Amino acid sequence: MNTELTGVIFTYLLTLTIAIPLGIYIARMFRGDKTWLDFMAPLERFIFRFSGIDTKKEMNWKQHMFALLTINSVWLFYAFFCLLFQAHLPLNPDGNPNQTPDLAFNTAISFLVNCNLQDYSGESGATYFTQHFVIMFLQFVSAATGIAALFILFKAFRDKVTDKLGNFWDFFVKSITRILLPLSVVMAIILAFNGTPTSYKGKDSFITLQGDTTHVSRGPAAAMIAIKHLGTNGGGWFGANSAHPLENPNYLTNTVELVAQTIIPIALVFALGIYLKKKKFAYVMFGVMTLGMLMLLIPTMNAEINGSPAIARMGISQPTGAMEGKEVRFGPANTAYWNIITTIISTGSVNSMHDSAMPVSGFMMMMAMMTNCFYGGCGVGILNFYVFIIIAVFISGLMVGRTPEFFGRKIEAREMKIASIIALLHPFIILVGTAVSSYILVHMPNAGWAVKPSAWLNNPGFHGFSEMLYQYTSSAANNGSGFEGLGDNNIFWNVSAGFVLLLGRFLPIIGPVAIAGILAGKKFIPESAGTLKSDTSTFGIMVFAVILIVAALSFFPALTLGPIAEHFSLK
């Protein structure tokens, strides 16, 4: 067990070792300084010239959002129709069928919004064509969309008074060509040399030790697995995701995948400090996020290492911890680390079955997605954190009797209203979705639907409620992991989760960018003795308290009915 813990500590330290210089590079690259990837400039100029884009034309925040929403709408329709007719498209050696309209609707939205919730099994529900040119394509552009949106915010605070916030297309393209693509190439090579398939052939057959003939799916998986983690996407080439031995062959690839899904979100925190020349503020942000991560990680690791009390009462020893649904090659400590990292980062990939986790672990994983701002996804993690900063600044100003201000701009009613709406939207869509599904399950169990509500849950009682709560939480947080005891590939879950996915993605991007754009146009107020300093531990504690009160406590009653009740039922 000490070896497992050492592995976890090493993985996190390796993440920081890569993330810090990566953050410096990202800040310098977007600032226009010379970097070692400047050789990508001719390709970028070709893309801009071919698309008729003038990157020297700066946009205000409304123009940024119009560009972002317009291009995402185009991608949505493109993805939907490709999935709907994938059986008739090339690169389908296994003869996989078309997706149903409700499943195509859910899948297209899910990958568009960087969630990658999969109500299908990767090797049978998609073809090589749609895996590459729909799913993998969306994994690149959705991550780049989040990074571009974040740098709109960065630009708003770098200049004192302005409505010129850079060019969305410049931020977007460079996020791919100079961050996501180079890192993905390196990671894909590592995965390929460790056994992850890169073949375009169909299923292979082999004879097992007991004499059975088994068909094994393969395909050009390494490239997709690289961007699924680096872009904090999470969708699996195989149904078992990174618990599959071809998607995650060994401990080295497991470590690489853990590091990959974490480095860009953490790097962007340090990039903020470099880009805005506010390193102390970035350290405070990083400290708050890391504290939140540790408060979720430690109970999870403790629960998984010590095993199930219900099994212990039967007199059965659990020397290796709670191993149901886990890979022996990874163990409970490393698996617990993955569980928390993938839910705070909003990656959603899994190297174990979350449905088999201990109740305390399920509680912590849901809390990670409910707070949705400890590191977070590419770009959007800091955008979510920024909403809580605005609320914390406003409350702090009221407490000391001074006008709330942040980075030299007054926080007034308009900005506070937007921040409050965005902060309350997250619990609203999760709890309303869970309430509606619970009502239908209890009062309409035998409704004449293709899949009756009574067939949704494989686990009754507290855990069944947790499965439904987890599904909407994962959708709203754009995470994509699931308690897979839930039968979710039907019209109700595909459609209802699809709308939650859209609301949970775009409003939390529009809100913070709108606040930043509004503040950027206000008169700059030089710092004085009465200014609330944002680079102190006191400010960090205030932000952390706001996150706990606004985000965490909103969900406590629902969590009480699910994982908390299940935990005490095992005692």
Side-chain angles (χ1 to χ4, degrees), residues 416-429:
M416 188 59 192
K417 288 176 183 177
I418 297 173
S420 299
I421 290 171
I422 299 304
L424 296 175
L425 171 74
H426 189 59
F428 177 79
I429 57 180

Side-chain angles (χ1 to χ4, degrees), residues 83 86 99 103-104 106-108 110-111 116-127 130-131 134-135 139 224 235-240 484 488-489 494:
L83 293 165
Q86 65 179 1
Q99 292 194 359
L103 180 58
N106 181 278
T107 304
S110 180
F111 284 86
N116 296 22
L117 184 76
Q118 293 176 283
D119 288 354
Y120 65 94
S121 183
E123 56 264 64
S124 60
T127 67
T130 49
Q131 292 270 45
V134 175
I135 291 171
Q139 288 176 328
M224 177 183 160
W237 183 278
F238 301 98
E484 296 305 338
D488 48 20
N489 187 10
N494 283 331

Side-chain angles (χ1 to χ4, degrees), residues 348-359:
S349 67
V350 300
N351 74 341
S352 68
M353 297 300 104
H354 286 192
D355 204 29
S356 296
M358 296 301 298

Side-chain angles (χ1 to χ4, degrees), residues 3-27:
T3 302
E4 282 193 55
L5 294 174
T6 302
V8 170
I9 294 170
F10 170 80
T11 302
Y12 185 73
L13 293 178
L14 178 61
T15 301
L16 292 183
T17 301
I18 299 173
I20 293 173
L22 178 61
I24 296 171
Y25 159 76
I26 291 173

Side-chain angles (χ1 to χ4, degrees), residues 456-502:
W456 286 349
L457 305 179
N458 289 334
N459 300 281
F462 306 129
H463 193 80
F465 178 81
S466 293
E467 289 174 346
M468 296 189 293
L469 177 62
Y470 194 107
Q471 186 78 351
Y472 286 114
T473 303
S474 181
S475 299
N478 295 146
N479 185 267
S481 62
F483 272 10
E484 296 305 338
L486 178 70
D488 48 20
N489 187 10
N490 54 70
I491 292 176
F492 175 83
W493 285 102
N494 283 331
V495 174
S496 64
F499 285 113
V500 171
L501 287 162
L502 283 172

